[in-house]
Amino acid sequence: MADLSNLAGLGSDPSGEIDSSASSANNRSLRLAEKEKRKGEADPFGLAVKYLSQVEAGTVVRGNDELERNMLVVETVALSKGLPSEVITVLLDLALSLNAGTGNCARVLKFLIPATVVPQEAIVKGVSWLCVGKMPMNAQVLFVRWVLTVFDLIDCKDNLRSIYGFIFSFVTEENLCPFICHLLYLLTMREHVHPYRVRKLLDIQAKMGRQPFLTQLLALYKVFRPDLVTLSLPSRVRTGFKNHNSTWKVALSAVQRKNKGAVLVDQSLSLDVKEKPSTRKRVRCHLCNTVKSLTEHTLNSNKKVFCLQELRSFRELLENIHNIELPAQMGSLLGSALALHYLDCVQDESASLRLNFWLGHSLQEEFLLCPVDGSSDNTSEACRFLSTILFSQQFLQEGFSSTESFLYKFLSVWDGCLLRPQILDLLSDIPLMPSFYMHKLLFEPLKQLYFTSTVFFKVCMVLLFFFLSVCLYQARAWPCVLPRTMTLSGFMDSVMELVRFVGLLASEGLRLENCHVLLLNQTLAFYETVCDMFLKYSLPLIIMPPAGVFYPALFATDSVSVDRLGYIMYRYRKNLTLAKKQEQQREQTFHISRNTYKEFNRNLQAMVNSMWNSWWCIPGSDIEIDKDLISLSKVPEPWCRFDLIHHPALFSYAIEFHQRCWPERKNVDLGSIKTGKYWNWYMEFLFNQGFDGLNNFIQTNTGHSSGLSSQDDRQPTSQP
Amino acid sequence: RAVNTPASRPVTRRSKSYGRSCVEAPSYFWQTPGHLAVLKIPNSRGTAKSQTITNKVDPEHIALLVKNEWKLSYITPLHHFRHTRLKSYSKHLSAFIVAEKQQGVAVEVGLEAGFKVTFSAVLGLAETDEDAETVFIQIQSKPVFAAVADAPKVVWRGWLTCVNGDLEYLRSLPPDFVSLPLFCTSGPESLTTLVKSWFERVFDCNFGCLALNSTTLNWLTALWTGCHPTCNIRHLKLAWSLPTQPPLDVSYTVNPQDAWELWNSIHPEESTDDRIDIQEVQSFINGLEAHFFRHFKIFLSAGTLVKVSTALGSAHVDGKIKIGNSDYITTLLTLLTECALLKMPA
């Protein structure tokens, strides 16, 4: 194709290098040539089109392998992907000029499948070839049939209408007449109806009899100019025009179906003033629909108003914010950042209600009432729809109430798989609500999903983690975003319920899944947020992890979990100390219950005892185990199995440390690490491995700052 | 449109600026297994009472409603719908239909090109002050090349109504919305689609199919049977579909007197309050099913009730109804309005 090669030659070097030296010019042209060559190699289609555009009149066709080969390349692309509009022009010209022979003319016409649109100039040129009169009759018929088939894809028809007379002249061709009549029928405007044309058609009718295509065209003429067509027409015209698209129908629909996905992406998010697309899918039709409401339009016609869709920048929005007209269908605003800005700013209740009605209806019809049939096409569209909603919600930092009520309904029928990422994201936008509803609407269905999923449903944990962090995100500004019907204590109750619920799910999940590492880590990540609720989010709430989470983490076999637990306990201590201080100083109304302190102390004691004091099953603690029972296991020195040296998560570090200290020793005696300076060295070694959480934990709770304090200082400091 | 900021608006940002919460009013949220609804589903309702509707409503209008079988849909509230503008709606809708029908053909709009649409208000069907008046739409067609003498033919009818709609719901809507949740149509599907898409464009509303679940059909069975002493119901025909292989369709016709006696034994006519409880309805249906089992050893409860019909009307699970007797129209429309409101999103 000519355009392609020109482009490469004219355009500046896209690599953006600035070559000022004279010698570089040479290099540059070389590079360009190279690039063009490479492009050619990479794009056999472009090359083939270029070749075909240069075929001249009189080219030998029979036995011309090169022509055949290039033709084949273009044909394959055309039938699989369709042809871009400029290629259509080139090929139509090639075919109708008969430069590649009459056989190829028909062949090219048969694979002339447009990918997007057909430029009207190509058709005009085609008609001029028709006027030349060289083409055999069957090629002429094929061409007009092709024009009829792609008629709706022609980008614009005004030039075509201006050569109406030329087209009309072909009605006298007996074979072409039915097709030309159809084409004229599609093109006719009032100004095209003239007495001499009516006369001509009547002449032909006298010759050919009452052919339906003639009658139909005359009927149209009568609609436009009843004064000119006096003949009485049957009250009911039985058949209109036949479909002439049989040759291209299958290929055209296949190509359009394939290209639909690609075209959709930009359609769905842009707000251009466009016609409604011909596809009849419910979800999308609003996204690009911009018909104005009759009532609003007539009311405001005397004022200068701006359609929200016509605004292009935020600046324009600000300047015209008082004269903005909402679109007739609020659904079209979804996904447009400017429109959402506006909506957020004016807080027009009925506008948001309209948006909600549409959204709720679409969600309900798509997902609840018409079950998704599972075809990939459908799912990807649903996925795009949900992503648009998500985008809008994240933009507004708030969920739509219709999405919310949809989710409550959907959760009870959801299989936990369908569109999981989107549904989970949507769930995380749900605002907090009174704990009674939270139980009924969220926890119950989620619990069922969580426990009945035979595969490990770790994602559920991820969800809940996200969920909470978003709740807390909202909570950061809680005094002003508190739902109207929720009191502060109600809000706290809800947060508490939520955290407890996740705790319950996590401990049961860990038990069922044998303390799966990923699940454990996700749970700990969740508690990393929870432990800082007071300090980071100023929520007067401190909730300890349940034993089902704490002990699996304490006795975990991977060091990351143990380190995370150390960090969490360290943060809990910070939060509790500060809470206590504030309570004493300012006598604040909020009150952390004694139980929380007790729980924390118990956990702290367990952790310090097992890791630092080498005595993990202290009598009276949560995990007291009968001594005889332990002795049955025949583990030597059972009490120190979970200290900093023997803990299964840290054991390998102790071994490594041992090897470094005493490389010549054959017998590993880990006990020797505990003696003298080795202990401090070991601490330092351990903390240098990146165990910051453990480091913080040990420093605050034992006063041991690596390498400084002595080994004897093993008593936990006073607890808050 | 000027920005509307009344002084009374709270300064703090509303948490629910994007719609109304479904949990704010505790009575609003109700969930039963298998049936999802945001509104409360009533457990009892008044008995069907005969009223001579023609005293309130133009008998010509009533005659139009009684004649046809109607396909039901629900619609979300209409934005900026005005009963005073019905004339201009007629004009716009007919222009719209002509334009859509002739798509791709350049035809000058305004010529008598075949379709004539009439919007009219059916006054008097509304029961409460919150109910919007019913709107009836009729489409007449005159073929393009018809002789002058040919009378235009009615090709499509439809009406939007709201009878005894949930007061709380209707009151919660801002004033620029009109809720006419029930849409009944009769005529070719293509025209229905056109009318729907015109409404969707002009009033920013949405349509969905309104299927009637078996609870609704059970209610109708009981309500209609209860009318027998005042108005002969002639027969009680019930149709079940049983999920066997191949599917078994059971048609069950009960003598009206027998049906009424069964109903009277459950809900005595002379009982003081004239409300019917859902339990009574259920035991009535159970009684009918038990009787059938005694004869044919088939558990009808294993299948689904598909259709119920009496002289007063009929209703199909797919959302098709027929109104047989106008005197009981209010009861039927109340029930259907409720079904439509239950489908409302948000």
Side-chain angles (χ1 to χ4, degrees), chain A residues 572-585:
Chain A
Y572 267 122
R573 190 189 162 112
K574 282 244 162 189
N575 276 268
L576 280 169
T577 323
L578 187 81
K580 183 140 202 159
K581 213 161 93 192
Q582 280 196 4
E583 221 171 334
Q584 284 166 348
Q585 276 179 355

Side-chain angles (χ1 to χ4, degrees), chain A residues 78-83 110-116 146 149-150 153 245-261 263 278-279 377:
Chain A
L79 292 179
S80 62
K81 284 191 240 152
L83 298 167
K110 277 179 190 163
F111 69 69
L112 216 50
I113 307 293
T116 49
W146 178 80
T149 305
V150 298
L153 300 175
N245 58 4
S246 53
T247 318
W248 299 274
K249 196 177 166 188
V250 178
L252 195 61
S253 63
V255 165
Q256 281 182 339
R257 207 172 35 244
K258 204 176 290 174
N259 290 347
K260 196 178 74 177
V263 177
S278 56
T279 40
D377 185 35

Side-chain angles (χ1 to χ4, degrees), chain B residues 27 30 95 97 112 153 184 206 213 245 257 271 277 308 328:
Chain B
S27 74
W30 200 261
I97 291 175
E112 279 296 323
K153 223 177 84 193
C184 310
N206 299 100
N213 60 10
Q245 211 44 265
Q257 191 58 32
S271 63
D277 198 75
V308 46
Y328 294 92

Side-chain angles (χ1 to χ4, degrees), chain B residues 173-223:
Chain B
L173 286 175
D176 44 356
F177 284 92
V178 171
S179 182
L180 284 164
L182 184 64
F183 183 47
C184 310
T185 57
S186 143
E189 196 56 33
S190 59
L191 276 174
T192 308
T193 317
L194 284 180
V195 174
K196 282 182 179 175
S197 71
W198 183 78
F199 267 93
E200 287 179 346
R201 288 178 187 208
V202 177
F203 305 111
D204 201 1
C205 57
N206 299 100
F207 292 81
C209 283
L210 181 62
L212 302 174
N213 60 10
S214 55
T215 315
T216 312
L217 296 183
N218 289 350
W219 269 112
L220 279 174
T221 314
L223 286 170

